[in-house]
Amino acid sequence: MAGERFQTGPCPYYKQCGGCKYLHLSYEKQLEEKRRTVRELMQSHCKVHPVIGMEEPWHYRHKVISAFGLDERGVPVSGIYEERSHRIVRVERCAIEAPEADAILQTVRGLLRSFKIQVYDEDSGRGLLRYVLIRSGRFTGQVMVVLVTASPVFPSRRNFVEALLKAHPEITTVVQNVNARTDSLILGDRYQTLYGKGYIEDALCGCRFRISPASFYQVNPVQAQKLYEKAVELAGLTGKETAVDAYCGTGTIGIVAAGRAGKVLGVESNPEAVRDAVANAKENGVKNIRFYRDDAGHFLKSCAADGERVDVLFLDPPRAGSSPEFLEAASLLRPSRIVYVSCDPVTLERDVGLLEKAGYWAREVWPVDMFPWTGSTEAVCLLEPKAKPQKNFRRNGGYRDGRAEAKGKHAKGEGIH
Ligand code: SAH
């Protein structure tokens, strides 16, 4: 296994980077550790299965971000920010990133010198190149390079891109993103496609997905496939159900589930991801799915107020978990299955606790190792209604909003597809 190198001779950036906190453990020990974390939080709720691990847990990250800047001596560097600091750790190869990204970044570093392009200096606000984002399709081999610059003016841009493509014919699209902000967000609002389509595609669970620069797409597609298969399996679809895919991103879970459901409603707040989701449904010939650009909690509340029937509810919120508004509306809709995909077991436990007070049982949880060597753990949890509906949500759950507020006109999310 390629990675054994790293265990016998550790990653040179291990301490400064702080990303791979389990690099000192064997992969098996690490999976046990992650199961223990989920067990400690979830075993009082339901059965915790062993972690679904990776066969080859190296070079799995298909989204790589490299920060460009100056070191203490004013020498240009690129790599990752040191944990809890603004210092950039010079990184030339990484054990978990896709190897094609390391090679492209090396070329970019060389081209900066030949084209005399200044890297951005956080202190003075001078210089051009801030970040390079590389996304690659694990199953299609397509590669997107996003050059994040402080200003739209990029001297010799055309020649720079030409030289980059010459060195890496595997690159299928190059995008410039302009980010003049002073906070820590990586992407600004302005994009210009310099080469190719401006997005890449990947394939998962027999479907094809379009990925734009800012859309969420799982960074580990090999494990994402296992995660989505587990989520759809736990949903127990028979072909007749109405399913909601909440926090749907580019529509991945909903599109994979649509073939086994009556119809699917996807909801997502990021407009770019919704556009990708609509294109993905078309590309895959999926006709029984509709996407809404809305806050997931607001959308679900409107569905509850309108008395919509929802049989299966998938939710895949960000690390912060779901909102009380969403969970309250979920319990009012009373789907026969809730499949909660979580990237933070702490917020999963919190939200499962709230759903249990609102009349659901957690049945089982499957941890999936999406981020080998790091401390992150993903998990998918199945919940089902307790036998009798709970009458008073507020008394049981202590939510901010009462059931009465869910009444009224259905403020419909914007139908996109
Ligand atoms: N299910 C998708 C995306 C999961 S990531 C996948 O597996 O690829 C979580 C998504 O939730 C992101 O796309 C983010 O833009 C979206 N999101 C965050 N807060 C939201 C909210 N309040 N309402 C709707 N979507 C939200």
Side-chain angles (χ1 to χ4, degrees):
M1 185 158 78
E4 273 160 12
R5 270 197 328 263
F6 285 94
Q7 275 183 43
T8 49
C11 166
Y13 325 110
Y14 173 58
K15 281 219 175 96
Q16 284 168 290
C17 163
C20 293
K21 72 172 210 181
Y22 287 144
L23 207 55
H24 61 288
L25 297 179
S26 72
Y27 189 54
E28 290 64 33
K29 277 261 160 3
Q30 182 186 149
L31 292 181
E32 280 169 27
E33 197 53 34
K34 290 190 178 187
R35 186 182 187 197
R36 197 176 58 78
T37 308
V38 180
R39 243 207 211 127
E40 275 172 9
L41 287 157
M42 293 296 296
Q43 70 183 358
S44 62
H45 297 277
C46 63
K47 180 178 167 64
V48 178
H49 292 277
V51 182
I52 301 174
M54 265 191 112
E55 271 154 45
E56 278 286 328
W58 302 101
H59 299 295
Y60 59 83
R61 271 196 76 95
H62 283 71
K63 174 183 172 185
V64 171
I65 297 163
S66 189
F68 283 73
L70 299 172
D71 69 9
E72 294 86 0
R73 292 163 299 149
V75 177
V77 281
S78 79
I80 42 161
Y81 282 108
E82 191 175 319
E83 223 182 355
R84 286 184 287 274
S85 104
H86 271 258
R87 213 172 16 233
I88 295 173
V89 181
R90 193 185 297 263
V91 172
E92 274 165 26
R93 69 185 178 118
C94 170
I96 61 169
E97 291 174 356
E100 61 268 20
D102 288 348
I104 292 169
L105 288 167
Q106 194 178 350
T107 303
V108 170
R109 284 190 290 267
L111 290 178
L112 289 180
R113 279 192 296 277
S114 5
F115 284 85
K116 299 200 170 41
I117 292 168
Q118 305 283 314
V119 296
Y120 181 73
D121 174 20
E122 255 190 358
D123 297 330
S124 67
R126 282 213 284 269
L128 185 68
L129 188 67
R130 299 187 72 167
Y131 300 97
V132 174
L133 162 67
I134 298 170
R135 300 187 87 151
S136 45
R138 165 71 173 75
F139 298 97
T140 58
Q142 298 180 14
V143 179
M144 167 163 63
V145 177
V146 184
L147 304 164
V148 184
T149 58
S151 120
V153 185
F154 188 154
S156 9
R157 183 167 65 187
R158 188 191 287 236
N159 292 340
F160 182 92
V161 171
E162 223 166 72
L164 184 61
L165 292 169
K166 194 161 172 223
H168 296 281
E170 71 274 20
I171 297 175
T172 49
T173 189
V174 181
V175 177
Q176 181 184 356
N177 173 270
V178 182
N179 181 0
R181 318 158 63 113
T182 49
D183 56 23
S184 58
L185 283 186
I186 290 165
L187 294 173
D189 297 330
R190 288 165 64 186
Y191 295 91
Q192 192 180 350
T193 301
L194 307 181
Y195 173 76
K197 296 187 207 164
Y199 59 84
I200 55 161
E201 289 155 313
D202 201 13
L204 281 184
C205 304
C207 301
R208 243 178 130 77
F209 296 103
R210 168 192 291 208
I211 313 153
S212 294
S215 297
F216 178 90
Y217 184 76
Q218 287 286 357
V219 300
N220 184 343
V222 170
Q223 291 300 93
Q225 185 153 296
K226 295 182 194 167
L227 177 74
Y228 297 153
E229 275 164 6
K230 182 53 74 184
V232 174
E233 177 196 317
L234 291 176
L237 296 164
T238 64
K240 295 196 193 94
E241 296 80 2
T242 297
V244 167
D245 177 9
Y247 308 89
C248 71
T250 55
T252 39
I253 297 174
I255 289 171
V256 172
R260 288 175 246 177
K263 68 170 179 176
V264 182
L265 315 175
V267 58
E268 160 66 44
S269 59
N270 175 349
E272 207 183 322
V274 175
R275 268 198 298 277
D276 284 352
V278 172
N280 286 335
K282 283 210 180 93
E283 168 74 22
N284 289 289
V286 175
K287 298 214 166 64
N288 58 341
I289 194 162
R290 196 178 162 89
F291 292 103
Y292 297 82
R293 184 178 60 223
D294 200 351
D295 167 72
H298 177 260
F299 176 77
L300 220 62
K301 201 168 160 180
S302 314
C303 290
D306 266 11
E308 295 253 9
R309 200 190 94 195
V310 175
D311 304 299
V312 171
L313 171 62
F314 293 100
L315 71 152
D316 184 6
R319 291 186 73 85
S322 190
S323 63
E325 182 187 39
F326 181 98
L327 298 170
E328 174 175 5
S331 73
L332 292 174
L333 284 165
R334 222 173 148 71
S336 53
R337 292 188 183 205
I338 297 179
V339 180
Y340 191 138
V341 179
S342 158
C343 53
D344 185 347
V346 172
T347 52
L348 171 68
E349 197 276 334
R350 181 199 68 199
D351 291 350
V352 163
L354 290 173
L355 283 168
E356 284 180 345
K357 286 183 182 142
Y360 276 81
W361 295 113
R363 291 299 190 193
E364 52 187 310
V365 61
W366 291 84
V368 182
D369 193 21
M370 304 296 283
F371 313 99
W373 314 105
T374 76
S376 302
T377 308
E378 188 99 9
V380 48
C381 180
L382 171 68
L383 296 109
E384 285 174 339
K386 292 176 188 170
K388 278 196 182 153
Q390 299 284 301
K391 279 199 182 129
N392 189 329
F393 194 91
R394 185 184 291 199
R395 196 187 302 148
N396 289 314
Y399 280 68
R400 280 181 318 200
D401 305 327
R403 179 193 278 246
E405 284 176 48
K407 283 193 190 136
K409 185 101 190 77
H410 183 169
K412 260 245 173 275
E414 186 181 345
I416 307 274
H417 178 59

